[in-house]
Amino acid sequence: MWPVWVVGLLALLLTLAVGYGIYEFLHSLAAKEATPENPVATHEVIRTALATLTFAGAVLAGVYAYRKQRLAESDAHRADEQQLAERFTTAAEQLGHDRAAVRLAGVYAMARLADDWIEQRQVCVDVLCAYLRMPYEPYPETASGTSEGESLRSTPTAHKEGEREVRHSIIRTIRSHLQPQAPTSWSACNFDFTRATFDGGHLQGSLFKGTVSFGGAEFSSRSFYFRGADFSAARVYFGGAKFSGGSVDFRNATFGGGRVDFTGAKFSGGRVHFDGAKFSGGSVDFTGARFIDGTATFVNAEFSGGRITFFGAKFSGGSVDFTSAKFSGGRIDFCRAKFSGGAVTFTAALYSGGTVDFENVTGAPQDWGPFRPNDAGG
């Protein structure tokens, strides 16, 4: 850094040089237009030179002030980023704490951070989803060798104290940010619940615009609700999911171009309800799914260009119910499906166009409804 007096002197000399140059330039222009009757007015040239120099100085001062403001804003932005990063670290540490109350505080801290940190909102959502993907921890062993909460040992809720509440708080927090009227929406984010275990929860009325994965997830004992959810612009994956006693509720949900994928899912006593759902160009894929005493219902569902695929699905005691469903341009595919004790019913279904395919089916639906073998291709 140069001494201030040196910089000041150089700035003064530079200003004088620039001022003199402007004066000479203006004087030469005025001299060309001067006549004996109208000689060059030196004081006018000086006045104009000073005005020009003042204007140039004002422009330079404005540029300097703008540059200084940008630097200040950059410093403030870096400070904000550092503060947000510190909040992220603190919230993540809370989520890993042994005490349930601290973990619960971490859930809300991470949610608030996701609201404030737009650039890293997806990362914060990923952390909450990752917590749900972690397996439940069992009760610690006592000195006698038996587990605390012995009566809960064989149930899916046998977790360490407060864990279920922490997990359900995450689900409730996500749901509140997926509502159409949410002050801060997370609808555009992706949600990865791969291989997570759910023993209840609500995402009803949620608006999804990204990708949602429940691949390999397990729904047991309790219900999980997507009632009234909007999947028009989303893709939902349940491939390989297991429904063992629990149920997933998609009643009155909307599928307008989105896709719900149950490829390879296993329903062993579980239930999936699409009653009253609307499929307009969307699709639900149960390719290779197994219904072993499980149930999927589409009562009063509406299909207008949507597609339901049960290609290669196996029904051994399970059932699929399309009672009073409405088909107008949609497609249902049971090609290569196997029925060995299972039942598929179309009682009182209304058919006004579309395609139903029962090609190479082993066994037959219990009630064809409006379809006949010659219509269904089988």
Side-chain angles (χ1 to χ4, degrees), residues 355-373:
T355 304
V356 180
D357 188 354
F358 290 100
E359 184 177 0
N360 296 322
V361 168
T362 301
Q366 191 178 64
D367 187 337
W368 291 92
F371 310 115
R372 296 294 180 268

Side-chain angles (χ1 to χ4, degrees), residues 12-348:
L12 179 61
L13 294 175
L14 179 62
T15 302
L16 292 175
V18 172
Y20 180 75
I22 293 174
Y23 170 79
E24 287 294 328
F25 174 73
L26 294 175
H27 188 274
S28 63
L29 291 179
K32 292 180 181 179
E33 299 179 356
T35 62
E37 295 78 11
N38 297 304
V40 176
T42 303
H43 67 281
E44 291 295 335
V45 174
I46 294 175
R47 181 184 301 174
T48 304
L50 291 175
T52 303
L53 188 63
T54 301
F55 175 74
V59 172
L60 292 175
V63 171
Y64 173 76
Y66 173 75
R67 176 61 178 170
K68 186 176 181 180
Q69 178 65 24
R70 289 296 302 272
L71 290 174
E73 291 176 354
S74 179
D75 292 339
H77 180 71
R78 283 195 294 270
D80 290 341
E81 288 290 317
Q82 182 177 359
Q83 182 186 35
L84 293 170
E86 291 174 354
R87 287 174 58 187
F88 179 86
T89 302
T90 300
E93 290 176 350
Q94 289 177 319
L95 286 172
H97 202 275
D98 291 335
R99 295 176 55 191
V102 178
R103 297 198 300 276
L104 194 60
V107 171
Y108 296 116
M110 189 64 72
R112 287 194 299 271
L113 180 59
D115 292 341
D116 297 339
W117 203 358
I118 300 176
E119 295 85 352
Q120 299 297 330
R121 177 171 297 164
Q122 181 64 63
V123 175
C124 297
V125 171
D126 288 343
V127 171
L128 294 176
C129 293
Y131 189 97
L132 292 177
R133 293 198 304 270
M134 296 174 62
Y136 279 119
E137 297 180 16
Y139 281 97
E141 295 291 328
T142 63
S144 62
T146 59
S147 297
E148 296 177 15
E150 184 69 28
S151 60
L152 298 177
R153 168 182 280 183
S154 60
T155 70
T157 56
H159 316 297
K160 64 182 180 181
E161 183 179 358
E163 182 68 2
R164 185 171 184 270
E165 178 57 32
V166 174
R167 290 171 175 265
H168 280 238
S169 295
I170 293 177
I171 297 172
R172 286 194 297 268
T173 299
I174 291 174
R175 175 183 177 271
S176 67
H177 285 83
L178 293 178
Q179 300 304 299
Q181 71 277 12
T184 303
S185 176
W186 295 357
S187 294
C189 295
N190 300 322
F191 296 89
D192 186 0
F193 303 113
T194 303
R195 290 186 294 278
T197 299
F198 295 96
D199 56 348
H202 297 262
L203 288 175
Q204 58 191 31
S206 297
L207 174 62
F208 295 92
K209 295 181 181 179
T211 299
V212 185
S213 176
F214 290 89
E218 183 172 352
F219 298 85
S220 57
S221 300
R222 300 175 184 269
S223 298
F224 199 92
Y225 294 91
F226 291 97
R227 186 174 298 183
D230 187 347
F231 298 93
S232 299
R235 184 181 187 278
V236 184
Y237 181 66
F238 284 88
K242 298 178 181 180
F243 302 85
S244 54
S247 68
V248 178
D249 190 343
F250 290 95
R251 288 184 175 96
N252 300 316
T254 301
F255 302 89
R259 182 183 181 189
V260 179
D261 190 342
F262 286 90
T263 303
K266 182 179 180 180
F267 302 84
S268 55
R271 300 174 303 279
V272 179
H273 301 285
F274 291 94
D275 302 347
K278 296 181 179 180
F279 301 86
S280 56
S283 66
V284 180
D285 190 349
F286 288 92
T287 298
R290 291 174 291 170
F291 294 84
I292 307 172
D293 296 326
T295 301
T297 64
F298 296 87
V299 177
N300 292 316
E302 298 180 10
F303 301 90
S304 56
R307 176 169 181 170
I308 305 293
T309 303
F310 290 90
F311 184 92
K314 297 179 180 180
F315 302 86
S316 56
S319 66
V320 180
D321 188 357
F322 288 95
T323 297
S324 299
K326 300 177 180 65
F327 301 90
S328 57
R331 177 182 176 85
I332 302 179
D333 183 4
F334 283 93
C335 184
R336 300 181 184 275
K338 296 181 179 181
F339 299 89
S340 57
V344 179
T345 61
F346 292 93
T347 303

